[in-house]
Amino acid sequence: MKIAIASGKGGTGKTTLSVNLASFLAEQQEVILADLDVEEPNSGLFIRADLIHEEDTFKMVPDWKEDQCTLCGECQKVCNFNAVIQLGKMIMVFPELCHACYVCSELCPADALPMIPKKMGKLKHFRKNNLHFIESRLDIGEEQAVPLIKQTHQYISRQLNGNDIQIYDSPPGTSCPVIAATKDVDYVILVTEPTPFGLHDLKLALETMKELKKSVGVVINRDGIGNDDVFQYCEKEQIPVLAKIPNDRRIAEIYSQGKLIYKEVPEFRLALEKITAHITTLCEQQNHS
């Protein structure tokens, strides 16, 4: 069962829910937690585990071979991302813009743009008892999160492919990194807040998941700070509200200390139990289908 925890904006509590839910589930079964917010991963602040594997990650970019090039200009024509341009008798490659689609390299009649690896980040694999934690982090200056997110999915499929619960702490928003993080999951939990901003961004996230044809549930964080508009909207649209997490100063204090909240706040643990019950039902339905 692959579950993505996402939202329409940052700061709603995705990481808080991800690390606590994964740790809670790991008390009973094998769980994989992957931090796919590769531009600024922070799940590791709350996971105390042993490093068992570390690797550099690379993306493929074209490398211009001047002595082979005929300056036909085909590479510039076929690149949709302006990563390859022709300036007089020179071909310039911008690795930061390259999406590693191989089109310029494959269509070059002179084989003057072979693809070479360029380091873009690092992947780390931690383990503590039943919990596997995967953290991927882009190098400073790298602009594209999608290639690293894809490689993280591939690593999990290659090294940890089993019947475990897999939880993905997704990037915020509704752009390409979110698509890459959620497109292959079985279920998406959207975290929101009971405010006008929370409702606005929840609608954007729901529209995105609808386009991806994903089943969705909602968790309302900081319940009590605003109004009931989010809950009423979910009822109207028949979107299940899996749990409400109260707006509690204790939660903020424990979070700021880098601790797991459900171990100290009964209301938070109750919310996780409700979410777990829903996940268990989904797993049973999946096994019977």
Side-chain angles (χ1 to χ4, degrees):
M1 187 75 182
K2 299 179 181 179
I3 301 167
I5 298 180
S7 70
K9 62 182 286 293
T12 58
K14 293 186 308 300
T15 296
T16 301
L17 181 60
S18 298
V19 296
N20 281 273
L21 180 60
S23 300
F24 179 72
L25 291 170
E27 293 179 351
Q28 303 294 329
Q29 60 185 304
E30 292 269 329
V31 177
I32 298 164
L33 170 63
D35 193 339
L36 299 184
D37 188 4
V38 298
E39 294 174 88
E40 194 174 2
N42 59 2
S43 294
L45 297 174
F46 307 91
I47 302 295
R48 310 287 185 265
D50 298 321
L51 179 66
I52 62 174
H53 177 75
E54 181 176 354
E55 65 182 52
D56 291 333
T57 57
F58 300 84
K59 71 174 182 178
M60 303 300 289
V61 298
D63 182 39
W64 181 50
K65 300 299 182 183
E66 183 178 3
D67 57 338
Q68 295 176 222
C69 183
T70 61
L71 297 171
C72 67
E74 186 66 19
C75 53
Q76 177 174 277
K77 293 178 185 176
V78 298
C79 182
N80 288 330
F81 308 104
N82 299 313
V84 183
I85 63 172
Q86 181 177 357
L87 292 176
K89 295 183 178 181
M90 178 181 292
I91 300 296
M92 295 190 67
V93 177
F94 299 91
E96 294 80 9
L97 300 178
C98 179
H99 283 57
C101 68
Y102 281 74
V103 172
C104 64
S105 181
E106 294 290 335
L107 296 182
C108 176
D111 295 325
L113 284 168
M115 302 294 282
I116 62 170
K118 177 182 181 294
K119 184 174 178 292
M120 63 175 172
K122 191 177 289 291
L123 181 149
K124 295 182 180 180
H125 181 176
F126 301 84
R127 181 166 189 180
K128 180 179 181 182
N129 301 324
N130 286 335
L131 179 63
H132 290 269
F133 171 51
I134 314 298
E135 178 189 83
S136 293
R137 184 184 297 271
L138 278 178
D139 285 345
I140 294 173
E142 286 295 320
E143 299 179 6
Q144 293 184 45
V146 171
L148 184 50
I149 292 172
K150 287 182 177 179
Q151 289 190 29
T152 308
H153 279 300
Q154 291 166 359
Y155 176 86
I156 294 171
S157 298
R158 187 171 64 248
Q159 301 292 337
L160 298 168
N161 192 19
N163 297 319
D164 307 325
I165 294 285
Q166 300 181 16
I167 296 175
Y168 300 119
D169 183 3
S170 302
T174 56
S175 59
C176 295
V178 177
I179 305 299
T182 60
K183 69 176 184 177
D184 293 326
V185 303
D186 303 302
Y187 193 73
V188 178
I189 297 175
L190 294 175
V191 185
T192 188
E193 303 167 344
T195 64
F197 287 117
L199 177 58
H200 175 270
D201 293 323
L202 174 64
K203 290 178 179 178
L204 294 177
L206 286 168
E207 189 64 30
T208 303
M209 295 306 127
K210 183 179 179 181
E211 290 293 323
L212 294 174
K213 297 180 171 57
K214 297 299 176 185
S215 299
V216 173
V218 170
V219 170
I220 300 176
N221 191 24
R222 302 187 186 95
D223 185 48
I225 65 171
N227 51 39
D228 291 331
D229 288 353
V230 169
F231 184 77
Q232 291 174 5
Y233 175 81
C234 290
E235 276 196 329
K236 178 183 175 183
E237 299 296 324
Q238 297 183 320
I239 301 164
V241 175
L242 309 183
K244 295 181 178 180
I245 299 172
N247 181 43
D248 191 325
R249 182 182 176 88
R250 290 176 299 165
I251 293 175
E253 291 174 349
I254 295 166
Y255 175 92
S256 69
Q257 296 167 14
K259 297 180 180 178
L260 295 174
I261 298 165
Y262 75 92
K263 293 184 176 183
E264 301 185 41
V265 180
E267 296 88 346
F268 199 100
R269 187 182 188 94
L270 179 61
L272 296 184
E273 290 172 352
K274 291 179 179 178
I275 297 169
T276 300
H278 188 76
I279 291 172
T280 301
T281 301
L282 292 173
C283 288
E284 292 172 351
Q285 292 173 352
Q286 188 180 64
N287 291 334
H288 288 123
S289 62

